[in-house]
């Protein structure tokens, strides 16, 4: 997703929408640069998994920059990113 305004990512979480499997992870990135740790989605359906780390060197995305969510394996989850518009 290309952002229209400079944004700081302040929280990341995912909700499993089906039973997870080994290697199921999701991660939030600023373009190709990692913002969050890989969230382990090898969990039961409806489980909420929160990011344990956010990289303060990458969490600010420039206007016109790309917020990207990547997944490994066959992840079944809804990913939520809370961001604040900054000047």
């Amino acid at each position: 997703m290309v952002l229209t305004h400079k944004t700081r990512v302040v929280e990341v979480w995912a909700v499993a929408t089906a039973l997870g499997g080994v290697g199921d992870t999701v991660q939030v990135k600023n373009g190709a640069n990692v913002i969050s740790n890989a969230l382990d989605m090898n969990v039961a359906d409806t489980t909420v998994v929160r990011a344990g780390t956010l990289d303060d060197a990458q969490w600010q995305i420039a206007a016109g920059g790309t917020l990207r969510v990547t997944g490994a394996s066959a992840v079944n989850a809804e990913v939520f990113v809370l961001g604040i518009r900054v000047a």
Side-chain angles (χ1 to χ4, degrees):
M1 165 187 286
V2 176
L3 301 181
T4 57
H5 301 285
K6 185 176 180 180
T7 304
R8 179 175 295 165
V9 174
V10 296
E11 191 170 357
V12 174
W13 68 98
V15 179
T17 58
L19 179 63
V22 175
D24 289 353
T25 62
V26 294
Q27 193 166 41
V28 173
K29 298 180 178 181
N30 178 352
N33 301 309
V34 173
I35 297 174
S36 73
N37 61 299
L39 283 67
D40 183 358
M41 299 308 298
N42 185 10
V43 296
D45 186 14
T46 71
T47 301
V48 177
V49 179
R50 296 187 185 282
T53 62
L54 296 175
D55 185 344
D56 62 339
Q58 300 300 329
W59 67 11
Q60 197 149 283
I61 303 170
T66 303
L67 171 65
R68 189 178 316 269
V69 176
T70 60
S73 192
V75 179
N76 292 303
E78 292 287 330
V79 179
F80 298 87
V81 179
L82 178 61
I84 297 173
R85 182 176 170 175
V86 294

